Amino acid sequence: MVRSAEADRTATDVSRAGNAPGAERAAPDPAALSAALRGSDPAHRLAALCHADADPARRAALARAVRATPPPTFTRWDARPPEPTPADPRTPRASAAAPARLEAMAYRTALMGERYGGAHGRSALAGFLATDVAPLLIAPSAHPADRRSLLTCAAQLTLLLAGRTDETGHPALARHYYDIALGLAHAAGEAASYTIILRCLSVQTHQLGDHHRAVALSDEAVDLAGAAVPHAVRAFLHAGRAVVRAAAGQHREAAADLLAAEQHLARTQGPEGPFTSYPETALRYQRAEVLSRLGEHKSALVELENSLACRPADHHKARALLHARLAHTLLALHEIDGAVDHSFQALRHHRQLAAGSAHGMLPRLARRLQPYQSTPHVRDFRECLRATVR
């Protein structure tokens, strides 16, 4: 308990230092950053990490601290929440309009990520969380409901930052942001946001190769959701669990989850938004991933083509990933020319993304095409890719 309290005080010192004159030129104390990473107060951790992340002069120290500090054990829903951060009397009262402003920011952030990739505005998002959102979490609130709304919005914005951080090739730092987002949703008592974050953490764990742990996280998300969260969220949770179950070899269970996702999606009502709706194009992509794991590549191809047909033309990240997945699927069917055509399309959309987005997508595609490099069409693509990444 003492160690945790000391870590929280250090996190506060780091976040305050971020607002001090000349702070943008001063590298933080590595020990202070490491203590912040271990802190139990998600608001303090958010401020400390985002101040460091938003400043290019501090990112190297942050990266070292992340490497030296193992990812935390995630905040469990049934755990007792830490004592709330006392309101700072020097901080202006949070207005009742603040949550709507943060919701609008989340909507725009999600949309820009779809259009231009996770690297687009990632540092700006970290800066917004550090300088605009974190102070609201220690500001006096007029009503407890406003406080809960602020915590929920902060959790959702932190989740978006976690996804962007992971997409740009920094999974360890992303893991810390996922945990902070869980802590904020837990403090808000917002089960729907908590399960969404837990599902995203499960998918990251799956991508890192720990399929057993990924299934356990997805199970917890689905079990917690029960019937208490909207159908769109439940569709999202079941689709995610289908993917990680397929990767873990649980094929029958994965198929059952896909069916459940379809049933919930058919009953979805509510507003469009990154945390209130789940598009069918996304479910088709997840279904294709499961079918590919089952070796049903022709069926996966149909799902991917239908998903692509539903995607807006300016959603360059999703379209780049879809074309890349189509290329991999066609290669599994030994349709080389079609695979290369989709590879060129993936490259075309990838060029619209901010540098660093969809990290690893093109190198994986190039490696997958390497056995066919004697084919002229493949050579043309690889040369075009080399020219692009110089």
Side-chain angles (χ1 to χ4, degrees):
M1 290 293 292
V2 173
R3 180 177 177 182
S4 177
E6 288 175 349
D8 287 340
R9 284 196 294 274
T10 308
T12 306
D13 292 341
V14 171
S15 64
R16 286 175 180 167
N19 293 320
E24 68 278 1
R25 296 184 297 275
D29 178 3
L33 269 178
S34 294
L37 289 167
R38 295 192 300 271
S40 63
D41 187 317
H44 285 166
R45 289 172 64 201
L46 180 69
L49 267 65
C50 287
H51 271 299
D53 199 359
D55 184 354
R58 300 176 178 192
R59 286 187 200 136
L62 178 60
R64 288 192 295 271
V66 167
R67 285 196 297 269
T69 308
T73 302
F74 73 92
T75 305
R76 303 189 70 90
W77 184 256
D78 56 2
R80 181 179 178 181
E83 289 298 318
T85 305
D88 187 339
R90 299 167 298 176
T91 305
R93 183 181 295 274
S95 73
R101 180 167 58 88
L102 300 192
E103 286 178 8
M105 181 65 173
Y107 181 86
R108 181 166 179 79
T109 296
L111 178 60
M112 291 298 101
E114 288 288 355
R115 287 179 177 172
Y116 306 118
H120 176 76
R122 199 196 76 83
S123 296
L125 177 57
F128 179 75
L129 281 159
T131 60
D132 286 67
V133 177
L136 288 172
L137 301 181
I138 59 171
S141 296
H143 193 278
D146 293 337
R147 169 75 173 166
R148 290 192 295 271
S149 294
L150 286 171
L151 285 165
T152 298
C153 291
Q156 293 172 348
L157 284 163
T158 305
L159 172 61
L160 292 174
L161 179 59
R164 285 170 171 242
T165 302
D166 198 31
E167 182 192 328
T168 52
H170 304 284
L173 179 57
R175 177 66 179 81
H176 284 278
Y177 283 133
Y178 282 127
D179 188 73
I180 291 170
L182 284 170
L184 293 168
H186 183 242
E190 222 291 293
S193 292
Y194 186 93
T195 59
I196 289 170
I197 299 161
L198 202 59
R199 188 267 206 193
C200 293
L201 180 57
S202 168
V203 171
Q204 189 214 30
T205 305
H206 149 73
Q207 291 169 342
L208 293 173
D210 190 348
H211 304 305
H212 177 76
R213 178 67 173 155
V215 170
L217 290 167
S218 267
D219 285 344
E220 182 153 353
V222 172
D223 291 345
L224 174 61
V229 305
H231 287 290
V233 174
R234 294 166 73 183
F236 178 72
L237 299 179
H238 279 285
R241 190 167 69 171
V243 171
V244 300
R245 279 179 158 178
Q250 300 177 10
H251 297 163
R252 189 185 322 179
E253 294 85 349
D257 268 320
L258 282 179
L259 179 59
E262 292 164 8
Q263 291 170 342
H264 285 301
L265 189 61
R267 299 169 68 184
T268 294
Q269 295 177 333
E272 292 290 324
F275 301 99
T276 55
S277 61
Y278 183 53
E280 186 171 350
T281 178
L283 177 56
R284 289 186 180 279
Y285 185 90
Q286 307 277 245
R287 190 185 292 122
E289 190 168 353
V290 172
L291 289 168
S292 292
R293 290 276 182 179
L294 300 179
E296 298 178 21
H297 299 297
K298 289 185 178 180
S299 297
L301 192 66
V302 172
E303 294 296 336
L304 290 168
E305 289 170 343
N306 288 333
S307 179
L308 184 63
C310 297
R311 277 287 174 183
D314 62 352
H315 281 201
H316 296 294
K317 184 179 77 173
R319 295 184 78 86
L321 292 169
L322 275 163
H323 281 294
R325 177 64 68 180
L326 279 160
H328 284 286
T329 305
L330 285 165
L331 286 171
L333 294 168
H334 307 291
E335 297 183 22
I336 311 306
D337 286 343
V340 178
D341 288 341
H342 280 289
S343 298
F344 273 111
Q345 290 296 325
L347 179 58
R348 181 174 70 85
H349 284 286
H350 192 273
R351 285 171 174 161
Q352 305 302 314
L353 305 181
S357 301
H359 176 78
M361 183 196 78
L362 291 176
R364 284 192 295 273
L365 200 49
R367 288 193 297 271
R368 187 71 176 81
L369 286 167
Q370 190 170 2
Y372 310 99
Q373 59 186 337
S374 61
T375 305
H377 203 22
V378 173
R379 283 201 306 271
D380 290 345
F381 171 74
R382 288 171 66 86
E383 288 172 7
C384 189
L385 180 57
R386 279 193 294 269
T388 299
V389 299
R390 281 174 188 162

